[in-house]
């Protein structure tokens, strides 16, 4: 087990989440020093001078950050067979992480467990905001090539280059049915259409609240044919009325207790096939001082270390 600290905020709509990564990292190192021996620090490299891409903010910086830093760093982790506990500042990093996993295991079927309030399936073709943190799954799937944004030939070329970064020739295409959503409740028309068209499993907040063990069991069924599973948790899945320390809050989400049950259930159910766990979008700069937000996240991290490390 190894700690990966990913502080880049290139795709964020609100900044400050790198502070959350650093605070949680310090707490982990203090209590679980064993995971720091080969710790990986992935920092932001920005300020690419050319700026031609119109429909994804900081695209040029993000492209070269993934190409030259994020993907090579994560590829090295996966090649060594290390199990990464990943603290990331914002969710656009999920693309580079999964891309590295697919590159190292190009002949294996990969599954993704995605706990989030948002589908994150936009692309440069259909995004109205241009925020990259809403596009990681759109990049991985690379299925949407139409929308309100008319990309020119240079933008199309670079978007396609991004979506296939580091994938060797003949690598397995990612199967949309091997993506499982939990708690997603804020989507736009193009995302809803893709979820329907590709029959992507989505467990609603209501379903999770009603019977979490059943949701976990059904997830196992959906991913029974995959070889490796990546678990990514965006803490905005929590109810925005309860949890304030995140960039894009959505109401009517999970309670901390409900998220803990779901997260633990998935960790235990998929333990033998888990390739990595990510916790993202914790931003203490946005804390409103009402609830113990950091203790909620700390409890989830402790659960991940405990289950993955075989200590509980």
């Amino acid at each position: 087990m190894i700690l990966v600290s990913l502080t880049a905020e290139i795709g964020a709509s609100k900044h400050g989440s790198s502070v959350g990564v650093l605070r949680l990292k310090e707490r982990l190192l203090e209590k679980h020093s064993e995971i720091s021996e080969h710790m990986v620090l992935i920092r932001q490299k920005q300020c690419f001078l050319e700026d031609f891409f119109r429909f994804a903010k900081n695209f040029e910086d993000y492209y070269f950050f993934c190409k030259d830093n994020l993907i090579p760093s994560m590829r090295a982790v996966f090649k060594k067979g290390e199990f990464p506990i990943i603290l990331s500042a914002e969710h656009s990093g999920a693309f580079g992480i999964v891309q590295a996993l697919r590159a190292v295991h190009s002949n294996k079927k990969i599954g993704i467990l995605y706990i989030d309030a948002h589908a994150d399936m936009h692309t440069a073709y259909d995004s109205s905001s241009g925020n990259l943190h809403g596009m990681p799954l759109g990049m991985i799937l690379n299925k949407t090539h139409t929308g309100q944004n008319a990309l020119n030939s240079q933008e199309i070329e670079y978007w396609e280059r991004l979506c296939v970064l580091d994938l060797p020739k003949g690598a397995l295409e990612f199967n949309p049915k091997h993506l499982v959503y939990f708690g997603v409740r804020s989507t736009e028309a193009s995302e809803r259409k893709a979820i329907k068209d590709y029959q992507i499993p989505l467990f609603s907040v209501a379903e999770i609240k009603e019977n979490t063990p059943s949701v976990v069991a059904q997830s196992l069924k959906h991913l029974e044919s995959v070889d490796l599973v990546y678990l990514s948790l965006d803490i905005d899945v929590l109810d925005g009325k309860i949890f304030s320390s995140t960039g894009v809050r959505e109401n009517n989400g999970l309670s901390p207790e409900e998220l803990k049950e779901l997260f633990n259930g998935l960790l235990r159910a998929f333990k033998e096939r888990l390739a990595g766990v990510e916790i993202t979008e914790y931003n203490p700069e946005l804390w409103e001082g009402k609830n113990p937000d950091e203790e909620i996240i700390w409890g989830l991290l402790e659960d991940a270390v405990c289950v993955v490390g075989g200590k509980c």
Side-chain angles (χ1 to χ4, degrees):
M1 188 164 52
I2 186 172
L3 175 61
V4 176
S5 170
L6 172 51
T7 55
E9 297 184 35
I10 297 173
S13 58
K14 296 178 183 177
H15 291 282
S17 51
S18 59
V19 177
V21 171
L22 296 174
R23 283 170 59 160
L24 292 171
K25 181 188 76 172
E26 292 306 313
R27 290 187 67 169
L28 271 176
L29 296 182
E30 185 176 332
K31 186 167 183 183
H32 301 284
S33 58
E34 70 277 6
I35 70 175
S36 69
E37 185 177 354
H38 302 292
M39 179 172 57
V40 176
L41 305 176
I42 305 176
R43 299 183 177 91
Q44 187 165 331
K45 290 185 178 179
Q46 206 166 351
C47 295
F48 189 73
L49 296 179
E50 187 177 6
D51 183 13
F52 67 85
F53 205 98
R54 295 168 295 163
F55 302 113
K57 296 174 183 176
N58 302 318
F59 177 88
E60 295 82 5
D61 291 314
Y62 180 78
Y63 176 90
F64 286 101
F65 173 70
C66 286
K67 178 178 178 290
D68 299 332
N69 193 349
L70 176 55
I71 293 176
S73 296
M74 290 308 306
R75 189 173 63 235
V77 170
F78 291 128
K79 275 186 176 180
K80 290 178 182 177
E82 303 275 12
F83 186 97
I85 300 286
I86 303 166
L87 297 174
S88 68
E90 44 89 7
H91 226 163
S92 74
F95 164 72
I97 297 165
V98 173
Q99 205 76 346
L101 181 63
R102 294 173 67 198
V104 172
H105 300 286
S106 59
N107 62 340
K108 293 186 182 296
K109 295 177 182 178
I110 307 296
I112 301 175
L113 301 168
Y114 210 78
I115 308 173
D116 201 321
H118 309 93
D120 289 355
M121 205 188 298
H122 285 302
T123 69
Y125 291 92
D126 65 356
S127 173
S128 57
S129 70
N131 289 328
L132 286 161
H133 70 172
M135 301 185 194
L137 295 177
M139 298 170 192
I140 292 168
L141 295 177
N142 195 19
K143 298 287 187 183
T144 301
H145 299 100
T146 59
Q148 72 269 19
N149 301 329
L151 275 64
N152 61 35
S153 58
Q154 185 184 30
E155 289 165 330
I156 291 171
E157 178 187 353
Y158 271 84
W159 180 260
E160 287 303 313
R161 284 190 192 179
L162 173 67
C163 291
V164 299
L165 270 180
D166 211 52
L167 290 182
K169 187 176 181 180
L172 288 180
E173 184 178 354
F174 183 82
N175 186 340
K177 292 182 180 179
H178 294 162
L179 164 63
V180 183
Y181 281 127
F182 303 87
V184 170
R185 57 195 184 276
S186 176
T187 57
E188 295 183 21
S190 61
E191 294 177 311
R192 292 191 290 274
K193 184 178 186 303
I195 290 168
K196 181 180 179 181
D197 289 349
Y198 299 113
Q199 302 175 49
I200 297 172
L202 191 161
F203 294 101
S204 67
V205 169
E207 289 174 298
I208 297 166
K209 286 176 177 286
E210 182 179 353
N211 194 335
T212 300
S214 174
V215 166
V216 172
Q218 291 177 69
S219 304
L220 274 170
K221 184 69 175 175
H222 283 303
L223 297 185
E224 63 183 352
S225 67
V226 308
D227 302 302
L228 296 170
V229 176
Y230 186 69
L231 173 55
S232 184
L233 165 61
D234 185 329
I235 50 88
D236 67 20
V237 76
L238 289 164
D239 195 318
K241 297 186 297 293
I242 299 172
F243 190 91
S244 60
S245 302
T246 191
V248 188
R249 292 159 62 179
E250 301 288 350
N251 292 337
N252 304 313
L254 297 177
S255 71
E257 296 74 22
E258 290 161 344
L259 176 55
K260 184 178 179 67
E261 182 183 4
L262 174 65
F263 190 60
N264 265 273
L266 293 173
L267 285 170
R268 295 178 186 278
F270 288 93
K271 180 179 177 181
E272 300 306 317
R273 288 184 288 161
L274 276 181
V277 173
E278 175 190 17
I279 296 179
T280 190
E281 300 274 1
Y282 167 51
N283 190 339
E285 303 287 281
L286 302 175
W287 184 47
E288 294 180 351
K290 297 177 182 177
N291 295 302
D293 288 3
E294 186 163 311
E295 295 312 309
I296 293 169
I297 306 304
W298 175 247
L300 295 168
L301 266 176
E302 285 273 66
D303 291 341
V305 173
C306 184
V307 173
V308 173
K311 299 178 181 179
C312 59

